[in-house]
Amino acid sequence: MAKDDRHSGQYQRERYRPPFLATDLIIEHFNGQKQGIVLITRKNPPYGVALPGGFAEYGLSLEENARKEGMEETGLEFMIENPEAPLCVHSDPDRDPRAHVISATYYGRGVGKLSAGDDAATASIYSIDELKCMLGKKEFAFPDHEKAIVKWMAHKGYMTNEEASKYIRK
């Protein structure tokens, strides 16, 4: 292969496999009886408890994608706290067994009536105490969802940075 061929579109398509991009959501919600964040149980592999979210769709900004996924999986209008600054980004190539997926996690408030949809078998509110009981027990479909929740809890003052570091460095 000639040196200049490495920059051709054909070479790039055949050799370069970019990672997928996804948005994950920490949706703060109060349904009149319970306050916390929304977690779903996944209808499709990998199964388990997860933050709502999904793969970024072509033609949508990450913020638009987050709002769309929030509505599809929880029935809630997702009001992002800071659209231009995700809470965190996780890019471990092994975070998702399906492929290399980079996830941007946004947080904000959910408005409306909570109901599972799309890839979510269930959608429920988890209180801060319930979330704390789940930490360190490998209950999440994606390990970085626990890290994102811990970062959100520290950011909101529900735990100290020292407490959070026990879970984030794993």
Side-chain angles (χ1 to χ4, degrees), residues 6-79:
R6 289 181 293 152
H7 300 289
S8 73
Q10 181 68 28
Y11 177 85
Q12 294 295 327
R13 283 188 296 279
E14 291 175 3
R15 302 283 185 201
Y16 178 68
R17 290 183 19 207
F20 293 97
L21 189 56
T23 54
D24 290 324
L25 325 174
I26 296 178
I27 303 175
E28 303 164 2
H29 188 61
F30 178 64
N31 67 3
Q33 297 177 341
K34 188 174 184 179
Q35 182 150 351
I37 68 167
V38 176
L39 296 179
I40 64 163
T41 52
R42 292 180 48 80
K43 191 185 293 185
N44 300 308
Y47 298 109
V49 177
L51 293 169
F55 289 109
E57 292 187 18
Y58 189 81
L60 295 180
S61 70
L62 290 179
E63 300 85 5
E64 291 169 329
N65 196 77
R67 289 184 190 99
K68 177 192 74 71
E69 290 293 337
M71 180 58 74
E72 287 179 356
E73 293 194 352
T74 70
L76 299 173
E77 182 179 355
F78 183 47
M79 312 297 286

Side-chain angles (χ1 to χ4, degrees), residues 96-111:
D96 188 325
R98 299 169 294 181
H100 182 183
V101 180
I102 297 171
S103 169
T105 303
Y106 292 90
Y107 71 95
R109 190 170 43 91
V111 178

Side-chain angles (χ1 to χ4, degrees), residues 112-131:
K113 185 176 183 325
L114 181 62
S115 63
D118 197 32
D119 295 329
T122 66
S124 304
I125 299 172
Y126 286 72
S127 70
I128 300 303
D129 288 339
E130 289 171 317
L131 292 168

